[in-house]
Amino acid sequence: MSRPDELPVPQPADELPVPQPATGGRAFALPGTLAQRWNALAVAACGATVLVLGYRHRWTNDDALIYTRTVRQILAGNGPVYNVGERVETSTGTLWQWLLAAGSALPGVDDPLRLAVVLGLPLTVAGFLLALDGTRRMIRLRRPAGALLPAGVLVLLPLCATWDYATSGLETGLSFCYLGGCWWLLVRARATTGPPATGGPALYATVFAFGLGPLVRPDLTLVGAVFLAALWLMRRPALRTTLCWAVTALALPLAYEIFRAGYYGVLVPLPAIAKEASGTQWGYGWGYLLNTLDPYVLWVPLGLLAAFGVRELVRRAFGRSARTARTARAADAALVAAPLVAGVLSALFVVKVGGDFMHGRMVLPALFLVLLPAFLLPYGRAAAAVVSAVGVWSLVCLVTLRPPYESPDDGRIIFDSHTVYQRALGATHPVSRHAHTAPPRDFTKVARRAVREGGHTLVLRLPGDAGFPLVPMAAHVRAPVAGAEARLGLAGAMLPLDGLVVDLLGLGNPLGAHTEPVAHTKAGHEKPLDRAWIVAELTAPGSPVPHGVDPRRVRAARHALTCGPVPELLAS
């Protein structure tokens, strides 16, 4: 007879083990240890694939140079600005900017652009590994043993866009790491039993991590909010705990927002104003989405996985799992729904604002999110059939499917930016600042001459690329040299830190950012700044006006710079 202390302890209803049907048929009859080794190998192989393909496609673009000039200004003691004396925020990814600044302060790091590649690729791999392990843990909540098959992850691995933006020098690698990390933390929170009060520091660390979304990228605010809502639905904390969660999640973003308001005088980075991030351009955005989906025939794997998901929902709704405790079912539903809802909202936001001009870049986070619950599938006949079909598509995509170099069919130009920079720079892997500034392009040649001669001049890019004349600047302009260019990053890399970079597209120019859009051929390039404003602001009255610039518009601009809201805007 058992002693009283050996009797089984009753478990809460939500924690009672519930028999689960095998997904898609009989489970793969592998011994436990062998199944674990298989699963570990599958996860490692997917991570290694991202690492190898991302490394083979390593590169950086002009937008990465925008980040690194600000980083160099920070390290020089001039603050997080693009030009000395101008309170302008050009970096969209706040955490990425400061991460690069911290890394560049280490001994031996002399090129922040190379560091952006060195950090971006491991962060991308970490994001995929966290996502895979999160999905593995989610499956283990229902099935404690068995082999797992890579499924949803096979949709992302063969995409050129995934390889390209594993590096590029942009914040995409950090975004992947944030998304994968949030998923891993959410699954971990679901697996942790007990009331919210017993969650301790780990649960508050999860809430804090979810709140970092707006600092990774402003559009990831939606993702963080959805994951926080899912965590609340899973744990159902009391009002006091809910308020503590809100304070924890908002602490750092709100603190930085206060700093941004005081330091820059605006509530969002300047590129958000220049790109009209609050605007609506559904037609262009839909064309951008199709530019990502169509070249890879992504409708095929997404349709197969969606059909499999619907089948599993029906099976669970009418199977034995329907007798699971109601609160447990609600928590599981919140867990699976979080990345799906976040992914759909992310895609809708990208479509709403009109997309981007870089192929696939802005759609990748949404794809990553909606595929998270299906990154791995437990072995079964139906699952094996779906994975086999997706695997065939994946192999075809890997070998043959490539994005077009340029896609103007939807009314906007969308580029395969990786190929564009390879051709323009004549380099297979342009990963350094030197790789961007060394090629003898028109602007770089004239800018190099202006810096060398030291004549207090402006390198002005004329409309229609009609030339790059050197224009004498007025005495009140403190910068030793200035450059007015449409490639903000290149100009910032060519000119010294005390030089003045005038952005012709508004991303780093307050006057240009606050004008009305006049062009719609390329996302983010809708606000070309009239050269008359530049000549009026930086040259002395009576100075000769460069050929190609209307003298009458220069006179009108000089007058506008002295009255009304324009001087107040520039002074602020």
Side-chain angles (χ1 to χ4, degrees), residues 149-463:
L149 300 175
V153 68
L154 295 181
V155 179
L156 290 168
L157 292 182
L159 303 184
C160 279
T162 301
W163 317 336
D164 291 346
Y165 293 102
T167 55
S168 81
L170 301 177
E171 75 291 330
T172 312
L174 182 61
S175 299
F176 277 130
C177 191
Y178 171 76
L179 297 176
C182 285
W183 173 238
W184 189 89
L185 290 169
L186 188 66
V187 174
R188 183 180 180 277
R190 175 67 186 101
T192 304
T193 58
T198 65
L203 195 58
Y204 278 92
T206 298
V207 172
F208 179 80
F210 291 172
L212 294 178
L215 297 179
V216 178
R217 269 195 67 87
D219 50 292
L220 294 185
T221 304
L222 289 170
V223 177
V226 171
F227 275 72
L228 283 168
L231 182 63
W232 188 92
L233 290 172
M234 291 193 309
R235 308 291 296 201
R236 299 297 176 95
L239 177 60
R240 181 177 178 180
T241 304
T242 300
L243 293 176
C244 290
W245 283 12
V247 171
T248 302
L250 293 174
L252 189 57
L254 184 59
Y256 200 85
E257 193 64 23
I258 294 172
F259 164 76
R260 176 179 284 139
Y263 191 82
Y264 298 110
V266 291
L267 298 179
V268 294
L270 196 64
I273 300 174
K275 295 180 179 181
E276 298 287 342
S278 61
T280 299
Q281 301 186 64
W282 292 104
Y284 292 131
W286 179 248
Y288 180 71
L289 180 64
L290 293 181
N291 183 266
T292 303
L293 300 178
D294 287 346
Y296 308 109
V297 199
L298 276 168
W299 307 106
V300 172
L302 293 177
L304 288 170
L305 290 171
F308 181 82
V310 171
R311 176 183 180 275
E312 288 302 297
L313 286 175
V314 172
R315 286 168 60 88
R316 290 178 190 170
F318 296 99
R320 287 176 293 176
S321 62
R323 295 195 293 271
T324 307
R326 180 181 300 176
T327 52
R329 279 185 290 151
D332 288 340
L335 175 64
V336 176
L340 297 176
V341 173
V344 170
L345 290 178
S346 177
L348 281 174
F349 176 79
V350 171
V351 172
K352 175 184 179 297
V353 300
D356 192 37
F357 69 93
M358 301 184 201
H359 164 77
R361 178 196 172 203
M362 298 301 293
V363 180
L364 280 177
L367 275 177
F368 189 87
L369 285 163
V370 298
L371 290 168
L372 276 175
F375 257 41
L376 299 168
L377 294 178
Y379 182 86
R381 285 191 294 269
V386 169
V387 170
S388 297
V390 173
V392 171
W393 167 87
S394 182
L395 183 61
V396 173
C397 181
L398 180 69
V399 175
T400 65
L401 301 182
R402 297 291 183 270
Y405 177 76
E406 181 180 336
S407 306
D409 299 336
D410 59 352
R412 281 201 179 191
I413 299 175
I414 303 171
F415 291 105
D416 172 12
S417 293
H418 178 235
T419 305
V420 167
Y421 278 89
Q422 282 183 319
R423 295 182 181 179
L425 302 177
T428 305
H429 302 297
V431 297
S432 67
R433 180 182 167 196
H434 177 76
H436 287 267
T437 58
R441 292 182 281 182
D442 291 340
F443 174 80
T444 59
K445 289 187 291 186
V446 179
R448 193 171 287 114
R449 172 188 160 197
V451 172
R452 183 177 62 250
E453 295 179 353
H456 197 232
T457 53
L458 161 71
V459 182
L460 179 64
R461 180 176 182 171
L462 294 176

